[in-house]
Amino acid sequence: MPVNPQILGKLEHSQKVLETPPSEPPTPAKLPSRNPTRSFWIDSSPDANPLARQGSQDPLPSDADVCIIGAGITGVGVAYHLIELLNNASLSVKNPLRIVILEARDFCSGATGRNGGHLTPAAFLEFAQRQALFDTVEAIKSYKLEQHTASLLVKIIKENGWASDIDLVEGGHIDLMFTEKEAGNAHKDFDMARQAQLNLDGVEWLSKEELEKEYGAPYSGFREPGNNVWPLKLVTKLYQHAHAHAGKYASLKLHTQTPVTAVTHETTDNSSTYAVVTNRGSISCSRVVHATNAYASYLLPFLTGPDGIIPTRGQVMATRASVGTDQIHIPSWSGNEGFAYWFPRPVKYYTEKPLIIIGGGREAVAPQYELYVDDDSETHPLVGKALREFLPSVFEGKYDPLSEPEMEWTGIMGFTKMGDPFVGAVADLLLANPDRELYQKQYIAAGYTGHGMPRAFGCAEVIGQMILAEISDKEWKEPDWIPQRYLTRNRRVQ
Ligand SMILES: Cc1cc2nc3c(=O)[nH]c(=O)nc-3n(C[C@H](O)[C@H](O)[C@H](O)COP(=O)(O)OP(=O)(O)OC[C@H]3O[C@@H](n4cnc5c(N)ncnc54)[C@H](O)[C@@H]3O)c2cc1C
């Protein structure tokens, strides 16, 4: 399928990227900041991050088979899938595959530990545009991947009995339409998606009157299947599960507080490996996975700028409602063309006033929209103002316009101009580059453009499959849910 890499994705998250050239020539991302803002997920409870400093003092191994850089949902997801795949394949191996995760800061302290907590697969929005830009099969795969990822995560959560530990809420998601134009586009997407036989189970249109009566929001919208979680606790469970199930076919180690500062290629007479260089020494490694999302261009400078991965700062706050959950109910929400997203945290009693996690507000700092900002040690006052004003203006009487949030933080997303991530071998991005051979056994899954929760774990599964295929000298068979345009072999940056 021909994919034009110059396509401007119209998805909310990416639409401003090309309209907003960088104010200065872009430079590669820096390493994650040393003093990030305190997020609800990481810092509101002392036991939220039991793996925070895991392996930070342990000596690094001198050799490994797979080095995964980054301990967010992507990095941990690659380790999880690789171990599951190895166990299922029951390969006859001489030695277990040595997998090492290297994390610059505390465990899961990047976007995954600082996000809005939504695990909601897109149901149909943007279908018409995707169908026109690509083709029907490719457009359908955009949603199939998200349904696959979200339902796999929910299945894993339930099968392992983690639902209450990680605060899974399967409350559905309501998308509010603030303008006629937005509503018109959404109906067009829905009609085209239905004609193309996209799975639209659980989608229900809601009139302004229905939404006002039930929830107090004077807008029309639609309901779609959706969940929210405590993302850090979910990723912690995934890591612990992977660690417990490694053994016969793999070993898994985690080293936090270990920023990777370079990956260099080393060739000897009979082998070709990478030196993964950190502040605590180097690891000689056969394969490298870049699970660094917004920060990818630090180690892969050719991903700098609009054709690569653009660090983009998102802001979130935790604010208390003025009324009980009985008057707010439990769905998660988005509105204002996706610029705002929020949900009430679970409560013990329905009359309890819930804490609302609300993110967004980047429209308040147009035309830069916090693009090209890779520092999560600060919040933006204008974004904060937009977030404070949002809920009281949409739900009259349910939020106090003067109340201050209990916590407010930022995190860095990795945007691409297409709105879609890069998934696969790094070398494939560099077809015309004489250095491409050096990247042959380096992999990447990054650039989710926000909205990574229903995509990253599926993309990590693809990387796991590719590594297993390479190890077993077989061809990777692509699953029927991965969009072609995600794959690095269909994308070029140089
Ligand atoms: C404010 C905000 C709100 C969001 N809300 C939602 C939401 O509600 N729903 C949703 O689906 N998505 C949301 N997202 C997007 C989602 O969180 C991300 O797409 C997803 O978490 C990306 O996961 P990741 O593992 O690829 O990246 P990350 O979680 O960022 O992990 C990358 C890790 O790599 C580490 N790292 C970077 N460079 C190096 C290096 N050189 N050496 C070692 N380690 C390194 C970082 O410290 C980091 O821990 C939001 C993002 C933000 C920032």
Side-chain angles (χ1 to χ4, degrees):
M1 189 216 50
V3 174
N4 174 2
Q6 297 309 319
I7 287 163
L8 166 59
K10 196 186 78 60
L11 301 171
E12 182 280 309
H13 311 288
S14 60
Q15 64 185 335
K16 306 300 178 192
V17 173
L18 285 193
E19 293 164 26
T20 309
S23 48
E24 290 167 12
T27 51
K30 294 186 284 304
L31 276 173
S33 75
R34 294 310 302 158
N35 53 342
T37 46
R38 289 163 60 79
S39 97
F40 174 83
W41 311 118
I42 299 172
D43 300 296
S44 66
S45 134
D47 58 358
N49 198 358
L51 301 172
R53 295 282 164 117
Q54 175 124 340
S56 59
Q57 303 295 322
D58 301 346
L60 297 182
S62 54
D63 302 280
D65 298 303
V66 182
C67 279
I68 299 171
I69 310 172
I73 191 162
T74 303
V76 171
V78 170
Y80 177 97
H81 285 298
L82 200 43
I83 287 169
E84 289 287 299
L85 289 163
L86 283 163
N87 288 345
N88 292 338
S90 306
L91 293 179
S92 65
V93 283
K94 265 198 251 140
N95 298 307
L97 194 79
R98 297 159 302 169
I99 307 170
V100 177
I101 303 181
L102 300 166
E103 167 54 50
R105 303 195 294 204
D106 284 357
F107 178 75
C108 200
S109 60
T112 314
R114 331 180 64 76
N115 68 21
H118 297 248
L119 173 58
T120 294
F124 62 86
L125 284 185
E126 308 295 342
F127 187 87
Q129 187 208 20
R130 284 173 168 149
Q131 194 181 34
L133 287 176
F134 313 117
D135 59 30
T136 301
V137 173
E138 179 73 2
I140 286 178
K141 282 184 181 179
S142 315
Y143 307 89
K144 251 183 148 173
L145 163 89
E146 298 201 19
Q147 284 165 4
H148 165 79
T149 307
S151 55
L152 177 60
L153 278 169
V154 171
K155 179 168 169 266
I156 292 170
I157 292 167
K158 289 188 175 170
E159 276 178 4
N160 289 288
W162 301 340
S164 68
D165 295 330
I166 62 113
D167 286 352
L168 172 70
V169 177
E170 297 174 277
H173 184 92
I174 295 176
D175 211 315
L176 290 180
M177 307 280 124
F178 282 12
T179 62
E180 297 267 315
K181 187 174 165 219
E182 210 186 339
N185 285 341
H187 277 283
K188 182 177 169 201
D189 286 329
F190 181 81
D191 292 342
M192 304 291 274
R194 192 172 46 188
Q195 275 173 35
Q197 298 183 344
L198 180 70
N199 174 11
L200 292 165
D201 289 353
V203 176
E204 180 194 359
W205 289 96
L206 300 164
S207 67
K208 179 177 168 219
E209 292 67 35
E210 283 170 308
L211 274 163
E212 189 152 26
K213 185 159 173 257
E214 197 169 346
Y215 301 102
Y219 301 100
S220 66
F222 64 88
R223 198 192 307 272
E224 61 190 332
N227 321 281
N228 52 72
V229 295
W230 188 308
L232 166 61
K233 291 191 177 178
L234 170 59
V235 176
T236 303
K237 289 282 185 196
L238 291 170
Y239 177 83
Q240 289 167 335
H241 185 279
H243 190 261
H245 288 78
K248 192 166 171 201
Y249 299 104
S251 68
L252 176 60
K253 281 195 175 146
L254 166 65
H255 293 280
T256 61
Q257 298 292 327
T258 308
V260 176
T261 51
V263 177
T264 58
H265 192 241
E266 295 178 329
T267 317
T268 58
D269 286 350
N270 49 10
S271 74
S272 161
T273 56
Y274 297 104
V276 177
V277 183
T278 81
N279 61 337
R280 306 200 295 119
S282 289
I283 305 178
S284 177
C285 196
S286 315
R287 293 162 202 89
V288 173
V289 178
H290 295 265
T292 48
N293 202 35
Y295 305 96
S297 61
Y298 174 77
L299 294 169
L300 301 171
F302 48 82
L303 286 177
T304 305
D307 290 338
I309 296 181
I310 302 160
T312 301
R313 187 164 66 188
Q315 192 158 321
V316 182
M317 64 185 209
T319 188
R320 191 68 62 183
S322 306
V323 296
T325 299
D326 50 342
Q327 293 181 55
I328 284 179
H329 310 289
I330 59 164
S332 60
W333 301 77
S334 48
N336 197 15
E337 295 188 315
F339 269 118
Y341 46 94
W342 66 99
F343 74 90
R345 293 266 309 125
V347 286
K348 267 202 187 123
Y349 309 104
Y350 260 35
T351 47
E352 216 178 289
K353 293 172 185 169
L355 198 58
I356 310 291
I357 306 292
I358 173 164
R362 288 185 304 110
E363 76 283 6
V365 288
Q368 286 304 324
Y369 298 96
E370 297 281 71
L371 290 157
Y372 301 98
V373 179
D374 64 5
D375 177 8
D376 60 6
S377 68
E378 287 179 345
T379 56
H380 196 301
L382 292 179
V383 175
K385 182 169 178 286
L387 286 175
R388 282 165 178 73
E389 289 171 354
F390 185 83
L391 291 171
S393 72
V394 175
F395 300 94
E396 219 189 310
K398 297 194 176 181
Y399 298 91
D400 176 358
L402 299 175
S403 96
E404 272 298 298
E406 296 184 12
M407 290 184 83
E408 187 171 18
W409 64 93
T410 49
I412 312 299
M413 305 177 275
F415 275 32
T416 67
K417 66 182 175 190
M418 237 186 182
D420 295 319
F422 296 99
V423 181
V426 173
D428 286 343
L429 291 170
L430 301 171
L431 200 62
N433 189 316
D435 285 345
R436 75 183 296 264
E437 281 307 309
L438 309 183
Y439 295 93
Q440 210 58 262
K441 290 191 181 176
Q442 295 193 39
Y443 298 85
I444 185 168
Y448 305 102
T449 317
H451 196 60
M453 294 299 286
R455 300 201 279 174
F457 195 65
C459 295
E461 184 176 353
V462 165
I463 299 296
Q465 293 172 358
M466 287 178 170
I467 294 175
L468 181 70
E470 184 226 304
I471 291 167
S472 25
D473 217 6
K474 289 190 179 144
E475 209 173 308
W476 170 63
K477 282 204 194 92
E478 60 184 72
D480 67 356
W481 42 260
I482 186 78
Q484 286 293 313
R485 66 189 188 281
Y486 283 25
L487 299 174
T488 51
R489 67 185 185 201
N490 296 318
R491 305 269 277 275
R492 299 285 171 268
V493 292
Q494 276 190 6

